[in-house]
Amino acid sequence: MAEVKTTREVVMNRAAIAAVFVALIVMLTPIYWIASTAFKPRSLATTVPPTVFFEPTLTPFAKLFVRRSQMREPVDQETYDAAPWWEQLIYDDGESVVRNRRSGEITPSGYWDRYKNSLIVSIISTFLAVSMGTLTAYGFSRFKVKGENDWLFFILSTRMLPPVVVAIPMFLMYRTVGLHDTHLGLIILYTAFNLSFSVWIMKGFIDEIPREYEEAALVDGYTRLQAFWKIVLPEALTGIAATAVFCFIIAWNEYAFALMMTNRNAQTAPPYIPSQVGSGLPDWSVIAAGAFLFLLPVAIFTFLLRNHLLRGMSFGAIRK
Amino acid sequence: MARIELANVQKFFGSVQVLKDVNLTIEDGEFVVMLGQSGCGKTTTLRAIAGLETVSSGTITIDGREVQDLKAGDRDIAFVFQSFSLYPHMTVEENIAFPLRAVSSSRAERESEVKEVARFLGIERLLSRRPSALSGGDMQRVAIGRALVRRPKALLMDEPIGALDAKLREQMRAEIKRLHIARNSTSVYVTHDQVEAMSLADRIVVMHNGVLQQVGAPDEVYLHPANLFVAQFVGSPVMNVADVAVEGAGTDALLRIGRAEGFRVPGGAVAHLNGAATKLGIRPEAVLLTREPGQGGIETETTNVEPLGSHDIVDVRIGGETLRARCESGFARGEGEKVWVSLDPERAHFFDAATGQSMRRAG
Ligand SMILES: Nc1ncnc2c1ncn2[C@@H]1O[C@H](COP(=O)(O)OP(=O)(O)OP(=O)(O)O)[C@@H](O)[C@H]1O
Ligand SMILES: [Mg+2]
């Protein structure tokens, strides 16, 4: 289509593109920093000025997953040759893998457990928040609810106070009922936290789906639940995807509650990664490796749902 | 197929009464068109029959069974909606098959039913498409197919072709008529387009502010409107209406509009009026214009001419009122031309000035 553009429009267009580039650079720099540090040898991680060109190494990742100790004297050649490649990388840095005295098994560092906890807690709480939010939003959207606006405001208001304000009472309650340092505890917390967001966003999407869609199904002899399942859900998929991404990101990145409510068993990655800074001289490249791997699920999740997201961002732009 | 009966149906939305004592019987196999302005309650009536809206009081009977408390799905009725037509996430075939899946018929059965309906509507080649790839007309064909496929007791259509352009509407109108003749399904069809109503209906129901104004065959509604509202709502251009003084009776009477000279009409045409305050209603085709003074013609000038191709609408002024007359095209060229006006007394309507009800001659 031949569109006639005025000079003004062209200038505005270029300016917008330039602005996007600047924003992109600002936002991508920290990510580049983390990613590059994750592949740097320890000696290059903290140089001033920063090293830009270097030979990437997997040593930080090898170190990330196992417990290590500093070696007084270098390892003997025989043990070195017998060790797998990742262990050799650790030996190269003058450290050795801590093994169980009797069984000789490697002691894992705890990163993988924390990562698994993050996955469990985030996925389950996202699923719960989105599914409960969708049902609630459907109810608000389709039925006359007495005091509907008050309820909706109440739901939103749970998000208005900063989490730290409720952290101490929550902590005491959790300790009393035995939810402290459990997966269930964090899941409940994150679900509750995300629910208000999910209800509000989903209500916007469901409001956009014409009532006639379901009414047609009702006339055809479907029950309301069937109509919801077969008509509303597929039509709301875009909204569900967008909401899920946001809920997942919030749960995945949550730090304050995770720090306070967990310490070992159910601890997630966000409070664990910085806790490594404290022990001895910080090995920044290992911390960067941990942070880098931590970024991946959100990136992958968002990438998979990107088509839905793009459509969903224009909130409720449903084809009619 | 079924007979539908509405008795004393009332509907309130909060404190607003939308349906006021609606009584209507739709015979088996009949095509009834509900005609009325926007917001008069047409859709609400249809939704009440379908069970999508509860009624505040009154009964709805389908085939002798009271259904007002039944769920929509248990009434065995199909609905073509005003705004919605098809599910965007399903293909045309899935859309048409959707109602069949509710009654859990077998896959083979479904396929053959869908094929048959598609053949009947001439949309076989569209079956694998998505609704977004259809034209407006095809979309409505599929929507009607969706409604027909279950062989419901009755078919309710809420302005199914209201959103299409004029030419396509005309074509679809003919198709719907053909479809009704072939299937002979009891149908209630809502529209605010009177041409659609006239051409499709066995009977027209004219509705205004939630009250049924008149129920009757198209020609009856056109020729004998029950009240001023119907008179002015049905027919295009709108019927001329003016306050009129009736003078004298006997063999000759005078109909005087404003201060003008009176129209001379046979006394029998107005004898039943008894001199009450009256409004005269006369359709443009019953306002007769001539170039020469004839008997009873009143001399005046044209004030406006609307050429419409097949005929012209010519405005003249009589006693401070504008009368619109339907003339053959080219009758008058512009304003200010001298013409003589007379009325066809056989086609004059009289309405009670206070109530608006038609005052018809007995017999
Ligand atoms: N759910 C509702 N709540 C409140 N008022 C309603 C509701 N549905 C309809 N109404 C009102 O009832 C009246 C009749 O509405 P209805 O939809 O039956 O009109 P209609 O004749 O179909 O008009 P249109 O030609 O515009 O479709 C309108 O004044 C409308 O505002
Ligand atoms: Mg309507």
Side-chain angles (χ1 to χ4, degrees), chain A residues 212-213 215-222 230-231 234-235 319, chain B residues 47 73 77 81 83-84 87-89 98-99 101-102 146 150:
Chain A
E212 284 87 355
Y213 280 23
E215 289 179 337
L218 291 183
V219 172
D220 287 338
Y222 288 94
K230 296 195 170 164
I231 304 302
E235 291 296 325
R319 271 177 305 140
Chain B
R47 288 170 61 89
I77 270 179
F81 285 85
S83 48
F84 154 79
Y87 299 123
H89 66 280
F98 189 73
R101 300 172 70 128
R146 240 185 73 94
R150 204 158 40 88

Side-chain angles (χ1 to χ4, degrees), chain A residues 135-153:
Chain A
L135 279 174
T136 312
Y138 177 76
F140 275 118
S141 172
R142 291 301 196 253
F143 299 104
K144 277 209 190 80
V145 181
K146 218 172 180 180
E148 175 174 332
N149 290 330
D150 297 332
W151 281 111
L152 283 170
F153 180 78

Side-chain angles (χ1 to χ4, degrees), chain B residues 42-43 82 158-159 190:
Chain B
K42 308 178 298 280
T43 299
Q82 184 168 4
D158 189 0
E159 307 197 23
V190 161

